[in-house]
Amino acid sequence: MSEETAVVELNEPEVQRVWRPMAEAGVRDLAAHYVLVGALVGTARAGVAERLSTEWIPFADVVPQGAVPHLVRNTLRYLEIHEVVESRGVRWQGTELDPRQPDAGEWRLTARGGALLDEVATSFLAFYTEAYGTVLANVGGLLSGTVDYGTDVQRDGESLGRRCERMTISFLSHLLRDLMRERGAHSVLEMGCGTGGLVLHMAASDPQFRAVGIDIAPEAIRLAHKRVVEQSLQDRLSFEVGDAFAPDSWPAGAADCDVYLAVGALHEEFRKGRQAVVDHLTRYRTLLAEDPKRVLLLAEPDLRVDSGDAEYYLMHVLTKQGFPQPRDSWLDVIAAAGLTCERVCYQPNVEFRFAFYVITAGR
């Protein structure tokens, strides 16, 4: 631009009347967060994230086989703006890009990027963008009644299971392991096991660990079987289609396990009223009483309708789910079922607030 070129700030009142309140309300920040989440989840899904580390990596080693180098580079450039990654030695001029040349540069994660692109973090983000993406895209139709959840719109069950599995392993596996050691337990019945990720993780690190998983979804059980075979754990793990709330239908040996585990499954029954949940818990009482070391570990979201849980709350609003209950409600139904809650545990700083109820038959 030459010195003679004038630069004029218009500052027209009508334009400012519309756009200034938007800027003050943070509209641009909302859009930026939305796009950034998509870029983070996509980078992880494409296999780029797993190739990055806090050490400098040549660009050629960052690009997965079959990926489009210039798209990878410019997506990384975008992430650099948001301080997720940083680069050195990159030549940005020109359109041709040979990833093997020195001027393609090197990349590494920042501390912020390491946290954002961690597998648990991307699972948390994808919980909303993937598993509930179609629901969020149809909020207008759901509110207006032009589409119906369960008929016209469904959450992505496969993505939901995969993403929740990774998060569950991160915040539950240590507690489960410690509880089993405390009670001298070696076997787990996971009710609502999905594709079996939690018990597969436990079995891989403990050669004495045994588990039976049941789930009402045949496709989930088929995948769980496949994973067991791939990891050669058939001698210690088994998965069957079954109803967690109907012990009479459980496969042989399932009820003999030391620990009964249910993660995020029972709160759905509050749709049918408090007594329905009491009735389900009552069915477990006799089984727990058969062995004094047997215990039920009930892991349930500890929902509070506040800024910390607002997004999770909305997903339940839009999808006709039973609402997760606060701790007092759970303690009430546990006592009404004639069971004893020995303690309630929780993990601080976990984005999904969960409470873990350690339940026995009591005296």
Side-chain angles (χ1 to χ4, degrees), residues 77-242:
R77 191 180 195 184
Y78 162 79
L79 292 175
E80 188 169 26
I81 294 169
H82 287 283
E83 300 180 344
V84 175
V85 298
E86 55 188 356
S87 65
R88 69 180 183 185
V90 181
R91 178 176 63 85
W92 293 108
Q93 294 76 20
T95 57
E96 296 297 323
L97 174 65
D98 184 344
R100 298 164 296 181
Q101 295 302 312
D103 61 5
E106 298 176 303
W107 295 84
R108 70 179 179 185
L109 292 170
T110 63
R112 179 176 189 245
L116 289 175
L117 286 173
D118 177 83
E119 187 179 1
V120 176
T122 55
S123 291
F124 176 77
L125 296 175
F127 175 87
Y128 294 104
T129 60
E130 282 185 358
Y132 285 94
T134 55
V135 177
L136 288 168
N138 284 278
V139 171
L142 291 167
L143 294 180
S144 66
T146 56
V147 299
D148 176 65
Y149 182 79
T151 304
D152 309 298
V153 178
Q154 293 273 12
R155 65 188 182 184
D156 185 332
E158 181 180 347
S159 176
L160 180 67
R162 186 170 67 253
R163 299 305 186 175
C164 287
E165 175 182 289
R166 187 64 194 87
M167 291 187 285
T168 301
I169 290 170
S170 74
F171 61 64
L172 180 57
S173 57
H174 293 289
L175 172 62
L176 178 57
R177 185 175 293 113
D178 290 346
L179 179 63
M180 294 181 71
R181 288 173 179 166
E182 171 191 315
R183 303 187 75 88
H186 297 289
S187 59
V188 171
L189 166 64
E190 185 175 8
M191 301 178 286
C193 65
T195 57
L198 176 62
V199 295
L200 282 161
H201 173 81
M202 299 289 293
S205 59
D206 181 357
Q208 293 187 326
F209 181 89
R210 297 178 179 275
V212 176
I214 57 174
D215 199 285
I216 59 173
E219 63 277 10
I221 294 299
R222 282 194 294 270
L223 181 53
H225 278 305
K226 181 175 182 290
R227 297 171 80 183
V228 165
V229 172
E230 289 173 347
Q231 298 183 37
S232 300
L233 292 170
Q234 303 97 309
D235 60 327
R236 295 191 283 129
L237 301 181
S238 64
F239 295 96
E240 302 288 342
V241 176

Side-chain angles (χ1 to χ4, degrees), residues 5-43:
T5 303
V7 178
V8 180
E9 181 179 287
L10 297 177
N11 207 15
E12 295 178 354
E14 184 62 21
V15 174
Q16 295 305 309
R17 183 189 67 79
V18 174
W19 286 89
R20 182 175 293 158
M22 291 170 54
E24 293 172 351
V27 170
R28 184 190 178 284
D29 290 340
L30 289 175
H33 290 153
Y34 175 79
V35 175
L36 179 58
V37 168
L40 291 169
V41 173
T43 300

